[in-house]
Amino acid sequence: MMMVLRAGIRMLAPLALVSAVGCAAVQTTSSGEVGIERKQYMSALVSEAQVEQAAAQQYAETLQEARTKGELNRDTALLTRVQGIAKRVIAQVPAFRADAANWQWQVNVIDSDEVNAWCMPGGRIAVYTGLVKTVTPTDDELAAVIGHEIAHALREHTREQMSQQMAANLGLSVLGAVTGSQATADLGNTLSTVMFTLPNSRQAETEADAIGLELAARAGYDPRAAATLWQKMAALGGGQVEFLSTHPSPASRIADLQQRAERLMPVYQQAKATR
């Protein structure tokens, strides 16, 4: 699951990023009720369009591989459930960034024992059956998962991490030495590494937690379910839940989720009253 803790890559100082790879400070989303206002630093060498193009290609390849193995959308009832929850949550993304309403959103279910879910840049979502079978989430809990993953995409955490990767690998394709198809391949490889290998920073995780909670609450899903979801995962342990190895769930995180959820209860109650 992309609720990861990218501790393996240290956050470089903003000035170092600017001088190294031409990074500029940006605000990818509005602050929302949860008050996310941190400026992010993105490299001009990793444009939003390039990242989305690479993500679209990798998503298509992932679906094709699953289709070939007979693992794509096998459970019609589960697919309907996941897509229904995702649709409600996706409808709330303009609260954080208006342009995301026009993303080419896709939601698919992959039959795999892996307990996982993710959202690629540009709104390409996958939920693995292992998550549903192992954790047995309620709809509210599943909305918390999907909201969290969508939040990573809205905040462009992958692009941000790719910019940091480039700053940490000066002198190669970062400086423009590699061009054409090789540059495209390097971008795709970096995207793959960031999405599926490296964990997120604690800061990125906190932002995704907060924005994900608000998205779920605005969609009429109980934000308190995020804490119960993490309690379930913690009870299962890292041996059974793949993403616990990269998504630690300390008691402090659960407590923070509970506190944020309480503050979002008016948002949730209003959404429920209007549904």
Side-chain angles (χ1 to χ4, degrees):
M1 197 167 190
M2 300 320 293
M3 302 181 201
V4 283
L5 198 82
R6 293 186 180 160
I9 298 296
R10 300 179 64 182
M11 187 77 74
L12 298 181
L15 289 179
L17 282 170
V18 171
S19 61
V21 288
C23 289
V26 298
Q27 181 72 23
T28 54
T29 64
S30 61
S31 58
E33 294 292 331
V34 291
I36 300 301
E37 298 179 347
R38 177 181 68 92
K39 287 184 178 179
Q40 298 165 275
Y41 289 83
M42 305 289 189
S43 171
L45 297 173
V46 189
S47 73
E48 181 181 356
Q50 287 175 313
V51 173
E52 287 194 15
Q53 182 179 8
Q57 180 177 340
Q58 288 204 6
Y59 190 73
E61 291 172 355
T62 298
L63 295 188
Q64 182 56 48
E65 181 180 358
R67 186 179 294 109
T68 299
K69 294 179 179 179
E71 297 172 350
L72 183 64
N73 301 328
R74 292 179 59 182
D75 186 333
T76 303
L78 178 58
L79 177 64
T80 299
R81 180 189 177 201
V82 169
Q83 289 184 334
I85 293 171
K87 182 178 180 179
R88 282 173 55 179
V89 176
I90 290 168
Q92 311 308 315
V93 300
F96 288 94
R97 55 183 296 173
D99 67 309
N102 298 319
W103 286 358
Q104 299 301 305
W105 292 93
Q106 298 182 57
V107 183
N108 287 278
V109 174
I110 296 175
D111 191 17
S112 169
D113 290 336
E114 185 177 346
V115 180
N116 204 3
W118 39 263
C119 180
M120 282 187 170
R124 298 165 182 86
I125 299 170
V127 174
Y128 290 18
T129 56
L131 171 68
V132 179
K133 293 176 181 177
T134 304
V135 183
T136 60
T138 64
D139 283 2
D140 291 319
E141 290 170 342
L142 194 51
V145 172
I146 292 172
H148 182 106
E149 302 310 320
I150 288 173
H152 278 305
L154 295 179
R155 286 291 285 173
E156 296 185 53
H157 286 147
T158 296
R159 182 182 167 213
E160 183 178 23
Q161 180 78 335
M162 291 172 71
S163 294
Q164 295 160 18
Q165 283 284 92
M166 285 189 167
N169 292 281
L170 299 176
L172 300 176
S173 58
V174 176
L175 299 181
V178 180
T179 59
S181 61
Q182 184 58 51
T184 301
D186 281 2
L187 185 66
N189 291 337
T190 302
L191 172 67
S192 180
T193 299
V194 169
M195 280 290 301
F196 301 113
T197 303
L198 297 177
N200 278 305
S201 68
R202 288 186 181 274
Q203 197 166 41
E205 282 303 291
T206 298
E207 291 173 355
D209 278 348
I211 292 175
L213 281 179
E214 183 169 338
L215 289 172
R218 286 178 176 273
Y221 292 105
D222 192 336
R224 294 171 296 188
T228 62
L229 173 76
W230 279 98
Q231 288 167 346
K232 283 183 178 181
M233 293 190 294
L236 288 169
Q240 295 186 59
V241 183
E242 169 66 22
F243 56 69
L244 283 184
S245 62
T246 51
H247 307 75
S249 180
S252 59
R253 183 177 193 172
I254 294 175
D256 183 60
L257 287 169
Q258 290 172 329
Q259 292 174 2
R260 289 183 184 278
E262 287 303 318
R263 293 197 295 270
L264 286 168
M265 286 304 290
V267 174
Y268 162 60
Q269 291 164 348
Q270 181 179 3
K272 283 210 69 176
T274 57
R275 284 196 63 81

